[in-house]
Amino acid sequence: MSKKRKQYSPQFKAKIAIEAIQGQKTTPEISSQYEIHPTMINTWKRQLLENASELFDKGKRASKAQSDTEAQINELYRQIGQLKVERGFFSQALRTAGSDTRKSLVDAQHHALSVVRQCQLLGVSRSSLYYQPIDPSDEEMTLLKLIDQQYLRTPFYGSRRMKAYLQTQGYTVNRKRVQRLMRQLGLQAIYPKPKLSESHPEHQIYPYLLRGVDIVSVNQVWSTDITYLPIFRGHFYLVAIMDWFSRKVLSWRVSNTMDVYFCLAALEEALNKYPIPEIFNSDQGAQFTAHVFTDCLKQAKVSISMDGRGRCHDNIFIERLWRSVKWELIYLKAFEDGQHLSQEVKSWFHWYNRQRPHQSLGYKTPDEIYYQCDSPM
């Protein structure tokens, strides 16, 4: 039976090779001391000498590889930080966009992002992607029109009184339905109460600057507001910008969604066509507190004023404009679609500015007052 060959560890081989290289002992002495064959000692010594240079080269390569790895990690951290900043920027911009705009950005065929993740990033409900709106019934449209008309006569009516009024007109409705319809119209009973106007929680609210201020010239104060316009099969929203002193409507826009962009378009048109006002007043609605809207005013160096909560008469002039629009146009005609509505609104505002006399203006038109008065310095 053959004797099993003895195995030596790498540490032992290195130790023997180093002693042989030091030259303090002869090869036979090392062989006798450790009971190993001289040939093995010579072999280990040769291998150590031949491979010593590779150890230093390997160290350099390892150092370079470590340096490259650290550079890659630093670059990845830089890219992560940049992506976080960019994501924060786009997230803030998307918050001001309407839900329809955000839903239109969802790509069901995206190869990397699921629909669920896209909805999370865009801040929309996944179920809303599949919702198919149902046209309101004839009864629903009639109720909306009756509520809107009665509100102009009695703006202090809440849902309880409005329900009672509708029941006198022969409609069996409960208070919850009336509340829903009034919310759809954007109507609330006018009387001082807390939280009358809900603003966006992340938008800045500006103070009301017009308390005790005498309005003595054109372009001293502009104001804006949004109202609801019913048509045969649905509704639209109207925003207008008015000069307080002359009551002139400077610009307006009609939209089928109540987002910031149609309000911004009206503001930019007014700022481009007319002298810059000193103060711009609005309510605390999310459209008017949006960053893109207030930034436009700041760039024009306009002081921003916002109605206080529970202050139902802070923007009374434009509220009177809505009453005139509805009683003198909207309730007298049937509109087929948004294009027809926009054409009629354009004609009405043209007539309002140039031909409609105002009792408060000494029976002069808004254009007569606006253009005969000097703008403030």
Side-chain angles (χ1 to χ4, degrees), residues 166-177:
L166 293 174
Q167 289 175 345
T168 63
Q169 302 300 306
Y171 294 94
T172 303
V173 293
N174 58 27
R175 187 187 172 204
K176 286 186 177 180
R177 187 178 184 186

Side-chain angles (χ1 to χ4, degrees), residues 221-250:
V221 176
W222 290 0
S223 65
T224 189
D225 197 11
I226 300 173
T227 193
Y228 167 98
L229 300 180
I231 65 169
F232 181 65
R233 275 303 192 189
H235 62 272
F236 284 83
Y237 298 98
L238 170 65
V239 64
I241 296 178
M242 169 188 278
D243 175 70
W244 266 27
F245 184 78
S246 65
R247 313 291 198 272
K248 176 179 173 62
V249 175
L250 305 172

Side-chain angles (χ1 to χ4, degrees), residues 67-81:
S67 177
D68 292 343
T69 302
E70 290 178 356
Q72 291 176 354
I73 292 174
N74 291 334
E75 175 62 18
L76 289 174
Y77 275 121
R78 187 194 68 78
Q79 293 180 9
I80 291 171

Side-chain angles (χ1 to χ4, degrees), residues 185-208:
L185 292 168
L187 302 180
Q188 287 182 311
I190 294 180
Y191 61 89
K193 58 183 179 180
K195 297 185 178 180
L196 180 64
S197 179
E198 292 291 342
S199 58
H200 194 289
E202 297 182 8
H203 293 173
Q204 181 180 352
I205 303 302
Y206 294 81
Y208 184 64

